[in-house]
Amino acid sequence: MGAVVFVFFLILVSAVSLMQVYVFWRAASVPFVTRHLPRRRLMALGILLWVLFVLASAVRPEDVGVAAATAEFFGMTWMGVLFLLSACLLAVEIATGFGFLLKRSVPALRFAALVAGGVLAVLALIQGMRAPVVQHHDVYLGGLPAELDGTVIVALSDLHLGAVLGERWLAARVEQVGAERPDIVVLLGDVFEGHGRPGPELLATMQRLSAPMGVWAVLGNHEAFVGRRDNGAVFEQAGVRLLGNSWVEPRPGLVLAGVDDLSYPLNSGHAGQALAKTLAGRPKGAVILLSHAPLPPEVLAGKGVGLMLSGHTHGGQLWPFGYLFRNMFPLFAGQYEFDGITAIVSRGTGTWGPRMRLWHPAEIQRVTLHHVARTKS
């Protein structure tokens, strides 16, 4: 997994480097900026921020604790700020034909873009610090026994526990889950950020998650950074039962199935084969599928799945990032109904990278199951 982490690190640093060069290049063309910060100082500031970001991205939080958590928070926040500044500046580029139109107004428009990006960054930080909202869903499942009507599933996705979102944040989420009185708790992948084996305090806090029918999880793409051999022991220590391309029957007539992360590569042929293998030999009853990445409708069709619970997309997390991925994931965020199947895709309970969200609040799903046959609205 070391090679995977290194490649990811290179991609991340390259993307941030490009955004930083672009933002500071455009900032240097704004008279208001250069009057208060000469170009040499502006360049020095840019180099300093870039070096701090690289150092923050390279540290191992499990080794250096609070110092690394602070460094990672700063580095990831700066990445989020750069993204929003770049998005606003690019909007000006499009409006002005990359500076060839409205030439007299270009400096003022670029300054306005920098201000707008800064304001959006503050709003994103505020929203990112807020507790996840609880989204209520009612799902009618064919095959669900009458005695299981009203069964409550609480789903958490993309916690990304690590240096930034740690034990105290998780403890608050455990309280939120407990208040919903779930019958089943499910974790939909990317539970851990992947900086190394989670600490004992974090795992002890996760052990406080409980439900009569158990606490279940599937792997996400970030769990791959930890190493698949270690994941079983980590989840077991946390008191969570891992579903890896397998199914269980918590109660007669209720089947809970989980597939390993299919976010890359997510092609219909491979995903369909993995799903068919996972569901092989299942008993009769309502089938609930846990999949970190939302599988497309054509993969789910005809497999006997009544409900799919997924995450991975974060609902975009930072506007306008979601526009880049909507075509990749037809089921992007929210509740969908098709071919007798319900799919619920979470915007994520935690955050990846910066502790920032813009127009896409974090959420926890509370899903109430009903045995009544589906009716058209």
Side-chain angles (χ1 to χ4, degrees):
M1 285 301 118
V4 175
V5 174
F6 181 69
V7 170
F8 179 77
F9 170 76
L10 285 181
I11 294 172
L12 187 67
V13 170
S14 298
V16 170
S17 299
L18 287 172
M19 287 192 296
Q20 181 142 333
V21 168
Y22 172 65
V23 168
F24 276 79
W25 172 47
R26 284 316 195 194
S29 71
V30 177
F32 181 87
V33 173
T34 54
R35 278 200 304 267
H36 294 82
L37 195 63
R39 283 186 172 85
R40 287 186 179 181
R41 293 184 182 180
L42 185 65
M43 184 181 296
L45 176 63
I47 293 172
L48 175 62
L49 290 170
W50 183 85
V51 169
L52 291 175
F53 169 79
V54 172
L55 292 176
S57 302
V59 294
R60 292 172 54 85
E62 73 275 13
D63 292 337
V64 290
V66 176
T70 303
E72 182 171 336
F73 178 81
F74 167 80
M76 293 298 102
T77 299
W78 177 237
M79 180 178 70
V81 171
L82 278 175
F83 174 76
L84 291 170
L85 291 173
S86 297
C88 291
L89 284 167
L90 280 171
V92 170
E93 305 284 16
I94 294 170
T96 62
F98 292 87
F100 289 102
L101 303 175
L102 305 172
K103 292 184 178 181
R104 292 184 179 180
S105 301
V106 167
L109 290 172
R110 287 176 180 164
F111 177 66
L114 293 172
V115 172
V119 171
L120 290 176
V122 172
L123 292 174
L125 275 169
I126 293 171
Q127 195 168 59
M129 295 292 178
R130 290 177 176 170
V133 297
V134 178
Q135 300 286 4
H136 293 255
H137 302 268
D138 288 283
V139 176
Y140 297 86
L141 280 178
L144 185 72
E147 59 270 22
L148 294 180
D149 182 78
T151 296
V152 173
I153 301 176
V154 172
L156 301 93
S157 177
D158 300 275
L159 294 166
H160 289 278
L161 298 170
V164 175
L165 298 178
E167 184 272 332
R168 291 180 61 185
W169 183 86
L170 177 60
R173 305 292 75 78
V174 171
E175 294 298 320
Q176 271 190 289
V177 171
E180 300 301 323
R181 302 176 64 85
D183 297 296
I184 305 174
V185 174
V186 296
L187 308 177
L188 302 174
D190 280 5
V191 178
F192 303 106
E193 182 63 13
H195 288 305
R197 189 180 180 89
E201 297 85 2
L202 197 63
L203 296 179
T205 302
M206 188 170 288
Q207 286 179 350
R208 290 161 48 192
L209 284 171
S210 64
M213 298 188 204
V215 181
W216 305 88
V218 290
L219 299 178
N221 51 294
H222 274 253
E223 269 81 39
F225 297 153
V226 177
R228 293 189 179 272
R229 291 184 179 180
D230 296 331
N231 276 313
V234 168
F235 280 93
E236 182 179 357
Q237 189 176 345
V240 178
R241 285 173 278 189
L242 196 59
L243 287 172
N245 294 328
S246 61
W247 57 263
V248 294
E249 193 177 25
R251 293 289 187 273
L254 179 62
V255 177
L256 196 64
V259 291
D260 283 340
D261 175 50
L262 292 168
S263 58
Y264 183 81
L266 183 54
N267 63 72
S268 297
H270 174 67
Q273 292 173 10
L275 181 56
K277 182 179 179 181
T278 296
L279 296 175
R282 70 185 186 280
K284 292 183 179 180
V287 178
I288 300 172
L289 174 68
L290 311 181
S291 174
H292 176 60
L295 303 181
E298 62 270 18
V299 171
L300 295 172
K303 299 295 194 305
V305 173
L307 168 65
M308 178 181 70
L309 300 175
S310 297
H312 184 59
T313 69
H314 289 234
Q317 186 169 322
L318 267 181
W319 174 90
F321 203 74
Y323 295 122
L324 301 175
F325 290 96
R326 284 184 181 273
N327 291 332
M328 295 175 58
F329 297 99
L331 307 179
F332 188 69
Q335 182 169 336
Y336 302 84
E337 306 280 345
F338 53 90
D339 300 327
I341 302 169
T342 299
I344 299 174
V345 183
S346 173
R347 292 191 301 254
T349 307
T351 52
W352 174 82
R355 185 82 183 273
M356 302 168 76
R357 282 185 171 271
L358 192 58
W359 321 138
H360 307 294
E363 61 186 15
I364 293 171
Q365 265 68 37
R366 186 186 195 273
V367 182
T368 304
L369 306 181
H370 301 284
H371 81 283
V372 181
R374 292 176 181 270
T375 58
K376 293 183 179 180
S377 56

